[in-house]
Amino acid sequence: MSLITPDFGLLVWMTLIFGIVFFVLAKWGFPMITDSVQKRADRINESIQKAREAEERLRNLSSEQDALIEKARKEQAAILKEAAASRDALIEQAKVQARDEAAKILEQAQTRITAEKESALRDVRKEVALLSVAVAEKILRKDLNSDKGHDELIGKLVDEVSSSRDLNS
Amino acid sequence: MSHCRVILAFLFVLLFPVILSEAKDLPSGGASQEVDLDMDEYLYGHVRDSYEWHITTINGKPVSIPLPVIVISKVGNGAHIFSSHHLEEGEYEGFSVAHSGKYENKIVEKGPDGSEIRPWDFSITKNVLGLMINSVLLVVIVLLTARWYRRHDAAEEVPTGGTGIMEMMVTMVEDDIIKDCVGEDYKRYSPYLLTAFFFIFINNLMGIVPFFPGGANITGNIAVTLVLALFTFFTVNIFGNKHYWKDILWPDVPTWLKVPIPLMPVIEIIGMFTKPFSLMVRLFANILAGHFMILGVIAVIFLTAKMGAAVNGGLTVVAVILGVFMDCLELLVAFIQAYVFTMLSAVFIGLSRQKAETS
C-alpha cells in the first residue's frame, strides 16, 4: 500500500525543506526568543532578589531607628534627671547662701544697732549730764541767792564735775 | 448549558434549508446514480499525496491547481519538467500515472520490456507544496516574533498578541520539555527541538484546515515522519557520549549476557532503531487516523443521501456535530502529537547525554 511506503521524492523534499527551516529558525529564530525570555527571567529574579535585600535593609533600618529612639529617650531621661538634680542643688545652694547672707546682714544690723544704741545712750547720758548740770545750776543759783552757806557746796560740786570731766576726757 | 442549546438551535436553522432542498431534489432529479460514493477513492484520495492539488468539483468537473512534475527517467529518457495537467489525458512525454498495480497513482514510465518502471520522481506534489507553504508560514511567524525581541528590550517589555502567544508556547516547550528531558546542555538542542515541535504543530494544524492552502495530509505521510524521526536519530547518535555507547555495546549486565552471544548489545542496537521507528509510526498513524475519522464522519452525510430526507437530515446534523467534535479532538491531537514527538526526542537526546553514574 502506498500509504506506508515512503515516497523517495517526498523524502528528498522533506529533508531539504526541514533542513532549511531548521537552519533559518536555529540561526535567526528561536535563540533570539529564548535568550530574550531568559534575559527577562534573569532580570525578574534579580529584581526580586534586590527587592528582598531592600526589604531586609529597611527592616534593619527600622530596628536601628527604634534603637536610636530608645537611646535618645534614655539620654533624655538621664538629662532630665541630671537637670532636676542640679536644679535642686542650685536651689539648695542659693538657699544656703541666702541664709548666710541674711545672717550676715542681721549680724551687721545688730552690730550697728548696738553701736547706735551706745552712741544714743552716750548722747542721752551727755544730754542728761548737761541737763542735770543746768538743773543743778538753776537750783544752785536759787539756793545761793538765799543762803550764803552754800558756797562750800558749790565749790565741792564744781570739783566733782571737773574731776569727772577729767576722767571722761 | 444554554450555550449548547443555542448552538444546537443554530445548527438546525442552518441545516434546515439544506434538508428541504435535498428533499425537493431527490424525487424530481434523476441524479441519484451520482450519489454512489466510491469510499476507497474518497478516503484515500483525501489523505494520499497527489500530483495536483484538488480543491473542489463543480458540476462533475474537478477544480484543481496543477503542480510541476519533475522526473528523471531511469531508462534513458532524460529529465523532464512539465505541468501535472498534461497527465490528465494519459501519457505525456513517455510518463503516465499508473491506475493500478504496485505504483498506483504514481508516475511511471514504460520499460523496454513493457513493464512499469518508477522514474526518479522529484515532483512538487501536493504534500511538497503544502510543506513549502507551511514552512514559509512557520518561518515568517517565528522570524516576526524574533523581530519583536530584536526591536524591544524584552527585559523591560512583555509582548502582547501573537508574539505573546508565541513566547508562551516557546517558553512552554523549552521549560517543560527541553530543560526537563535533555538536562544540563539543553541549550545546544533547544533550536532543533523547538523547530521540530513547531514544524509538526503547524503541519498538523494546517492538515485540519479543510481548504487550500490547508488540507494536505503532511504529518500523516510516512515520508515526512520518517525524515523527522531520522533527524532525531542522527541527533541522538552523533552527539551521544561515551557512556551512551558503552551502555549499548557493553551494558552493565551479567557477563554471560554479553559473551559469547552478545544478547544485550544486540537488543540495545535494535533499540537504537526502534526508538525513531516508534516516533515515525506514532505521528504518522495518529494524524492519518485523525484524517480518516473526520472524513468518515463527513462521509455519513453523502452515504445517507439516498435514504430519504428525514434520515439524511437527521444524520447530517449528527455528522456535523460529530465532525465539530472530531475537529476539536484533532486540534488537541495536533498539539499532543507535536508535544509527544518533541518530548520523546528530548528524552532520547537526554539519555544519550547522560553522565556515567559514579556509584
Side-chain angles (χ1 to χ4, degrees):
Chain A
M1 250 206 347
S2 72
L3 274 179
I4 52 164
T5 44
D7 188 66
F8 180 73
L10 188 55
L11 269 182
V12 172
W13 280 111
M14 171 60 192
T15 311
L16 191 71
I17 292 169
F18 186 76
I20 292 170
V21 169
F22 172 46
F23 176 77
V24 171
L25 295 190
K27 200 162 170 58
W28 295 293
F30 291 120
M32 189 72 213
I33 299 172
T34 51
D35 288 354
S36 302
V37 172
Q38 187 60 47
K39 219 188 293 171
R40 183 193 303 148
D42 291 347
R43 174 68 160 271
I44 289 170
N45 282 339
E46 202 181 306
S47 302
I48 288 173
Q49 188 61 35
K50 270 188 188 157
R52 199 167 293 147
E53 275 169 24
E55 205 183 332
E56 190 68 28
R57 212 175 301 154
L58 210 69
R59 203 176 295 137
N60 286 348
L61 211 70
S62 79
S63 69
E64 226 168 82
Q65 208 175 8
D66 285 350
L68 219 69
I69 287 172
E70 193 57 36
K71 199 175 151 199
R73 202 166 286 151
K74 266 184 197 157
E75 229 160 275
Q76 183 194 26
I79 287 169
L80 278 177
K81 215 165 146 190
E82 214 172 294
S86 67
R87 181 197 59 193
D88 287 351
L90 231 93
I91 288 170
E92 197 58 38
Q93 205 183 337
K95 262 184 193 165
V96 169
Q97 221 167 352
R99 207 176 294 140
D100 286 359
E101 201 75 20
K104 217 187 272 172
I105 288 168
L106 228 67
E107 206 177 330
Q108 268 175 5
Q110 214 120 34
T111 327
R112 262 179 63 190
I113 287 169
T114 320
E116 290 292 330
K117 206 163 95 183
E118 242 160 71
S119 84
L121 273 174
R122 221 177 6 251
D123 283 354
V124 169
R125 212 179 282 147
K126 215 189 262 170
E127 212 62 40
V128 168
L130 287 177
L131 220 63
S132 50
V133 168
V135 169
E137 214 177 55
K138 263 182 191 157
I139 295 170
L140 281 174
R141 208 164 276 158
K142 203 165 94 183
D143 284 352
L144 286 172
N145 290 342
S146 58
D147 194 351
K148 277 197 196 165
H150 286 154
D151 280 341
E152 208 185 324
L153 187 62
I154 291 167
K156 214 203 275 169
L157 274 173
V158 170
D159 281 346
E160 237 171 90
V161 168
S162 59
S163 72
S164 78
R165 213 171 254 177
D166 286 344
L167 274 171
N168 275 345
S169 61
Chain B
M1 276 306 284
S2 65
H3 282 295
C4 291
R5 238 174 273 148
V6 168
I7 290 166
L8 275 181
F10 182 71
L11 275 177
F12 273 108
V13 170
L14 202 70
L15 293 171
F16 198 60
V18 179
I19 297 163
L20 276 186
S21 69
E22 282 199 37
K24 258 186 279 168
D25 278 354
L26 272 177
S28 59
S32 56
Q33 73 268 16
E34 273 196 337
V35 174
D36 261 343
L37 189 65
D38 180 357
M39 231 8 218
D40 268 11
E41 183 52 31
Y42 164 79
L43 284 179
Y44 291 111
H46 275 93
V47 296
R48 71 161 174 250
D49 205 358
S50 60
Y51 290 101
E52 81 284 321
W53 197 314
H54 179 250
I55 290 171
T56 182
T57 303
I58 297 169
N59 294 331
K61 268 171 83 193
V63 177
S64 48
I65 303 168
L67 300 170
V69 173
I70 305 164
V71 282
I72 300 168
S73 175
K74 274 182 183 166
V75 292
N77 200 0
H80 296 265
I81 301 176
F82 53 86
S83 168
S84 68
H85 76 262
H86 293 301
L87 292 168
E88 281 165 26
E89 294 103 43
E91 194 176 293
Y92 182 81
E93 294 181 355
F95 299 97
S96 61
V97 176
H99 294 293
S100 60
K102 197 176 158 199
Y103 302 125
E104 193 181 356
N105 297 310
K106 300 282 182 200
I107 287 180
V108 289
E109 56 186 347
K110 285 273 184 287
D113 55 346
S115 63
E116 286 178 338
I117 294 173
R118 187 96 169 86
W120 296 110
D121 185 355
F122 300 107
S123 308
I124 310 282
T125 57
K126 181 182 175 184
N127 279 354
V128 175
L129 182 65
L131 267 176
M132 287 175 172
I133 292 168
N134 299 349
S135 299
V136 168
L137 202 63
L138 175 63
V139 166
V140 166
I141 290 172
V142 175
L143 290 189
L144 278 179
T145 311
R147 197 179 66 156
W148 188 93
Y149 291 96
R150 211 161 279 138
R151 296 195 170 174
H152 295 74
D153 183 6
E156 300 288 342
E157 286 173 81
V158 174
T160 53
T163 315
I165 292 172
M166 281 303 286
E167 182 188 306
M168 189 199 78
M169 290 181 65
V170 169
T171 317
M172 180 207 71
V173 173
E174 172 138 309
D175 288 351
D176 291 358
I177 305 177
I178 302 174
K179 272 184 196 167
D180 288 351
C181 296
V182 175
E184 52 184 34
D185 50 357
Y186 73 91
K187 267 210 144 62
R188 193 170 163 196
Y189 300 97
S190 135
Y192 166 65
L193 292 168
L194 280 168
T195 308
F197 175 84
F198 283 101
F199 190 87
I200 296 169
F201 189 43
I202 197 164
N203 280 307
N204 286 351
L205 283 183
M206 291 296 278
I208 305 172
V209 177
F211 42 80
F212 183 85
N217 177 31
I218 293 169
T219 35
N221 187 298
I222 195 115
V224 172
T225 60
L226 174 62
V227 171
L228 287 167
L230 280 177
F231 266 89
T232 294
F233 174 76
F234 285 122
T235 314
V236 167
N237 288 292
I238 290 173
F239 300 112
N241 59 11
K242 224 159 68 181
H243 179 251
Y244 168 71
W245 288 108
K246 187 197 160 278
D247 242 12
I248 288 174
L249 301 173
W250 199 255
D252 279 333
V253 289
T255 315
W256 61 269
L257 283 172
K258 297 181 275 194
V259 182
I261 310 159
L263 197 61
M264 282 310 288
V266 166
I267 291 172
E268 291 283 352
I269 287 170
I270 293 171
M272 263 170 68
F273 295 97
T274 52
K275 282 171 189 169
F277 184 79
S278 73
L279 281 181
M280 171 183 84
V281 172
R282 183 181 299 108
L283 180 58
F284 158 74
N286 271 291
I287 302 305
L288 186 66
H291 279 255
F292 274 143
M293 296 264 266
I294 293 174
L295 289 168
V297 166
I298 300 305
V300 167
I301 298 169
F302 306 106
L303 285 175
T304 55
K306 281 192 293 185
M307 296 178 183
V311 175
N312 187 221
L315 283 173
T316 299
V317 172
V318 172
V320 168
I321 292 167
L322 264 177
V324 170
F325 172 73
M326 289 309 300
D327 265 332
C328 293
L329 192 71
E330 281 313 298
L331 277 176
L332 200 67
V333 169
F335 176 80
I336 289 171
Q337 286 308 318
Y339 192 92
V340 166
F341 188 98
T342 315
M343 191 172 74
L344 287 177
S345 293
V347 167
F348 297 152
I349 291 171
L351 285 176
S352 78
R353 306 288 305 168
Q354 222 170 32
K355 298 267 188 319
E357 280 159 37
T358 44
S359 58

